[in-house]
Amino acid sequence: MTSPVHVVVDRRSPVPLYFQVAQQIEVMIDRGELLPGSRLENEIVLADQLGLSRPTMRQAIQYLVDKGLLVRKRGVGTQVVHGQVKRTVELSSLFDDLRRANQHPTTEVISVAVVPVTDDVAVALHRPPGTEVVRLERLRRANDEPLAILQNWLPTGLAELTPERLEAHGLYELLRAAGVTLRVAAQRIGARAATHREATLLTERRGAPLLTMTRTTYDDSGRAVEHGSHVYRPALYSFEMALIER
Amino acid sequence: MTSPVHVVVDRRSPVPLYFQVAQQIEVMIDRGELLPGSRLENEIVLADQLGLSRPTMRQAIQYLVDKGLLVRKRGVGTQVVHGQVKRTVELSSLFDDLRRANQHPTTEVISVAVVPVTDDVAVALHRPPGTEVVRLERLRRANDEPLAILQNWLPTGLAELTPERLEAHGLYELLRAAGVTLRVAAQRIGARAATHREATLLTERRGAPLLTMTRTTYDDSGRAVEHGSHVYRPALYSFEMALIER
DNA sequence: TAGTGGTCTAGACCACAGT
DNA sequence: CTGTGGTCTAGACCACTAC
């Protein structure tokens, strides 16, 4: 009563074995080759079938459990979660997300400037008051429809942030291309009424409900590399995520 | 230039060793004994100091990395993240969260009834149309201030959901007490304007912005055990979470 | 009782960062 | 070059589930 898992690993590949396995199982779930509720073979058998050690096989399975695709129960086994799975929120930019969903994102750069930090941004970026930072304001459209107003602050000198580059790429893409490794972010999602200016930019009524997100992102040295304060039109955007009990 | 980690493990305890270590390091970070940016000893040394194997020590560290408290960089080491860390959203109920924050939550049960599922709930709970489910509607207050309207649907027979019990406990608490193990949830956060009825219950104006959350929760067999559709007053509540790049 | 995942050990080799 | 985390192995024992 278990579903067979067809996976082949390439030991010459630089891609870790556990990741090769996890990716292939994920593809099988996406394609419906592994149905919701179906049980996988146990770890030992799977490891044996693939010629891997049990810890490596466990790592692959745990990766998918953390992603919300599988559930495991001691004494029972590993099963595919029911229902269409929404992916955990990842450290991706809105631009990348929209492009992946074929939503044709475009960016209008409203302003790029080097300014002294305000107090709240100084706290968020852990910079002393008075430090100069880059301040961005962008209007993001999807399929030509205004979707969000994005305000961001970054330490100076991190990446070359020209209006041209910002219109062609997402901010995170530019940061990664500049050698910045984004690792951790602290994020808060809320709601509030649109100001007059926001309403105008987003073609909403003044006072219309907007979804808000503020986020501070840290690199792999634990340093704050970006702080953002964004507002979204709730009819066109919402946040989806998977929660996992560890 | 590394910070010493004072941890003792109790091998007679039923608590896993990696978890004992992770908890104690987390406490040290909370107390400021490990400062943001400070580097920990490397895995090998730490494992040696605590009398553990390296995999076990790695598991402890990885747990805290996944929680957003630490960052690691190959060739460099493990550091405490800068800034006050916001915890990852967990599979906890609003009631528990508020109680933990000493916000004195109270619950007014508006209705509890067994009803046939509507189409959207049938899809969410993966039940055939026409199935009977328990429908709850509750008004949650914090410090006597109306905070949220909570609508939930559950399969019948999961737990004893009387108004009395619901007023004294959170829904998740009652489910766990009934032997249900919550494992994974898919959640969507958005915003919209308050209806007349919502505005009245929440002492807001009609059309006021509200934060919305819909969530479907699955147990450790991967079956849907709860679907909720909640609205929150954004001035009093927002969602915080950590995002980790794996 | 049999089968499952959960934890733990003691090694090994590799890739990458900083010197 | 040295030191770090990343990956991988081949076992072991335990706790929980279901029958």
Side-chain angles (χ1 to χ4, degrees), chain A residues 24-146:
Chain A
Q24 291 181 55
I25 294 178
E26 183 169 4
V27 167
M28 290 180 68
I29 295 174
D30 283 346
R31 285 193 188 146
E33 293 167 27
L34 286 174
L35 295 173
S38 63
R39 261 196 24 244
L40 270 56
E41 297 277 8
N42 74 55
E43 302 177 342
I44 316 268
V45 171
L46 281 175
D48 214 44
Q49 286 175 357
L50 306 182
L52 301 172
S53 69
R54 188 185 164 201
T56 302
M57 194 61 226
R58 270 185 71 77
Q59 195 177 358
I61 293 175
Q62 190 59 47
Y63 178 86
L64 295 176
V65 170
D66 288 345
K67 252 193 159 178
L69 293 167
L70 299 177
V71 286
R72 353 178 53 183
K73 197 175 179 182
R74 174 154 48 179
V76 177
T78 305
Q79 291 176 283
V80 179
V81 173
H82 281 93
Q84 77 287 30
V85 182
K86 283 127 184 170
R87 299 294 190 273
T88 305
V89 179
E90 281 165 5
L91 216 35
S92 57
S93 71
L94 177 58
F95 191 82
D96 302 338
D97 290 343
L98 292 169
R99 192 164 48 188
R100 207 171 302 126
N102 289 317
Q103 293 285 297
H104 299 95
T106 59
T107 306
E108 177 183 328
V109 177
I110 300 174
S111 69
V112 185
V114 175
V115 298
V117 282
T118 53
D119 288 351
D120 53 336
V121 174
V123 169
L125 288 180
H126 309 101
R127 292 292 186 290
T131 313
E132 295 207 316
V133 294
V134 180
R135 178 182 179 283
L136 308 177
E137 190 170 26
R138 295 169 292 163
L139 177 64
R140 175 69 39 82
R141 290 187 177 85
N143 299 322
D144 292 331
E145 189 82 5

Side-chain angles (χ1 to χ4, degrees), chain B residues 156-201:
Chain B
T156 52
L158 262 191
E160 200 190 344
L161 300 172
T162 62
E164 295 71 33
R165 290 165 71 86
L166 285 164
E167 275 166 18
H169 305 278
L171 177 58
Y172 281 13
E173 199 181 344
L174 293 176
L175 287 174
R176 283 193 242 263
V180 178
T181 311
L182 307 168
R183 248 327 132 69
V184 189
Q187 163 174 305
R188 178 192 286 268
I189 300 172
R192 61 173 171 78
T195 64
H196 179 66
R197 176 166 179 272
E198 288 165 346
T200 305
L201 284 168

Side-chain angles (χ1 to χ4, degrees), chain B residues 38-52:
Chain B
S38 63
R39 258 195 30 242
L40 270 56
E41 297 277 7
N42 74 54
E43 301 176 344
I44 317 269
V45 171
L46 280 175
D48 215 44
Q49 285 176 358
L50 306 182
L52 300 173

Side-chain angles (χ1 to χ4, degrees), chain B residues 92-189:
Chain B
S92 57
S93 71
L94 178 57
F95 192 82
D96 301 339
D97 289 344
L98 292 169
R99 192 164 47 189
R100 208 171 302 125
N102 289 317
Q103 293 284 298
H104 298 94
T106 59
T107 306
E108 178 183 326
V109 176
I110 300 174
S111 68
V112 185
V114 175
V115 299
V117 282
T118 53
D119 288 352
D120 53 337
V121 174
V123 170
L125 288 179
H126 310 101
R127 292 293 187 290
T131 313
E132 295 209 315
V133 294
V134 180
R135 178 182 178 282
L136 307 178
E137 190 169 26
R138 295 168 293 164
L139 177 63
R140 175 68 41 82
R141 291 186 176 84
N143 299 322
D144 292 331
E145 190 82 8
L147 177 69
I149 304 169
L150 314 174
Q151 273 192 304
N152 292 87
W153 295 264
L154 303 89
T156 52
L158 262 191
E160 200 190 344
L161 300 172
T162 62
E164 295 71 33
R165 290 165 71 86
L166 285 164
E167 275 166 18
H169 305 278
L171 177 58
Y172 281 13
E173 199 181 344
L174 293 176
L175 287 174
R176 283 193 242 263
V180 178
T181 311
L182 307 168
R183 248 327 132 69
V184 189
Q187 163 174 305
R188 178 192 286 268
I189 300 172

Side-chain angles (χ1 to χ4, degrees), chain B residues 38-71:
Chain B
S38 63
R39 258 195 30 242
L40 270 56
E41 297 277 7
N42 74 54
E43 301 176 344
I44 317 269
V45 171
L46 280 175
D48 215 44
Q49 285 176 358
L50 306 182
L52 300 173
S53 69
R54 186 184 166 203
T56 302
M57 193 61 223
R58 271 184 72 77
Q59 196 176 359
I61 293 175
Q62 191 58 47
Y63 178 86
L64 295 176
V65 169
D66 287 345
K67 251 192 158 176
L69 294 167
L70 299 177
V71 286

